[in-house]
Amino acid sequence: YDHYKDFAPVSLIGTTPNALVVNPALPIKSVGEFIAYTKANDGKIAVAHPGAGSSPHMTLELFRLTSGVNIVAVPYKGAAPALVDLLGGHVPAMFDNMSSQLALMKSGRTRALAVTSPKRSAHLPDVPTMLESGIAVNVTVWYGLCAPAAVPKPILAKLNADLHKALNSPDTQRRLTEQGVDPAPSTPEEFAAFIRAETEKWAKVVKDAGVPQQ
């Protein structure tokens, strides 16, 4: 399918950042310390991610490009097995979606070095952003609603209005917040522009990082 031609954007729903986390046994508490650690162990430090092509994987590749570190990206078949190895000390660090790490980070079972959103997350106000840490990584995982391209515009407008009404519901906002997701409703036009910008951004990362395309 062609995601430009075959779908009609309705609205962005919400966003959440990725995070760079480490096993708390590792005596590293900042991105700067992590970079120094990887450079002192050039090409030897393994960093887990939930799977090839996932948002955390692409964030890892962008981090590698922008920071200049030589790390070993280790793909897993999902976040769960990667977390098992992170908690077990088999890999020292991991890029993951913040929402799946939230309970672990708050309980101290993993340590967040930075989130990838442009500003600090309200869910982890003490954790700096990558940008604050001096690394030009600005990434949010996003969720949105699209319809088939042939859907008439009046129906798209109705879907957009109904979705916005749902997202403004206190119960919906509470449920999203519990999952670490910040509501971010948009117009169809804004969402279409957002999709195009994201496509262009990640196509460049894939090319520059030499990520195999399946």
Side-chain angles (χ1 to χ4, degrees):
Y1 62 85
D2 184 320
H3 70 287
Y4 286 139
K5 296 179 180 179
D6 296 339
F7 299 99
V10 176
S11 177
L12 188 63
I13 292 174
T15 64
T16 186
N18 287 318
L20 171 59
V21 298
V22 296
N23 185 300
L26 200 67
I28 290 175
K29 297 185 178 179
S30 71
V31 172
E33 290 179 4
F34 180 75
I35 290 174
Y37 174 65
T38 60
K39 289 186 175 180
N41 297 273
D42 190 51
K44 298 177 181 178
I45 303 304
V47 181
H49 62 78
S54 64
S55 177
H57 174 213
M58 292 295 97
T59 303
L60 186 159
E61 297 295 350
L62 181 58
F63 175 78
R64 182 155 53 181
L65 287 169
T66 54
S67 65
V69 297
N70 181 19
I71 52 180
V72 180
V74 182
Y76 283 79
K77 293 183 178 179
L83 279 170
V84 169
D85 276 5
L86 178 69
L87 297 174
H90 303 295
V91 289
M94 177 180 179
F95 272 94
D96 197 10
N97 186 269
M98 187 195 74
S99 60
S100 66
Q101 285 279 339
L102 202 53
L104 293 169
M105 291 187 284
K106 287 185 174 181
S107 68
R109 295 183 68 196
T110 62
R111 178 186 298 130
L113 302 184
V115 293
T116 62
S117 46
K119 62 181 182 179
R120 294 193 184 198
S121 169
H123 309 285
L124 296 168
D126 295 329
V127 177
T129 66
M130 281 285 180
L131 297 175
E132 286 180 276
S133 304
I135 305 299
V137 171
N138 177 5
V139 177
T140 53
V141 178
W142 52 271
Y143 308 92
L145 179 65
C146 289
V151 171
K153 286 190 175 182
I155 295 179
L156 291 177
K158 179 70 166 56
L159 287 171
N160 181 273
D162 289 347
L163 179 60
H164 282 219
K165 182 178 179 181
L167 290 174
N168 285 327
S169 159
D171 184 59
T172 300
Q173 292 187 356
R174 176 182 60 80
R175 289 172 181 269
L176 289 174
T177 298
E178 287 173 352
Q179 299 299 317
V181 176
D182 298 315
S186 70
T187 66
E189 293 76 19
E190 289 169 341
F191 189 29
F194 179 80
I195 291 172
R196 186 169 293 278
E198 285 286 280
T199 301
E200 293 172 356
K201 172 182 178 176
W202 292 113
K204 186 176 186 306
V205 172
V206 167
K207 180 181 178 181
D208 291 350
V211 177
Q213 299 184 51
Q214 298 179 356

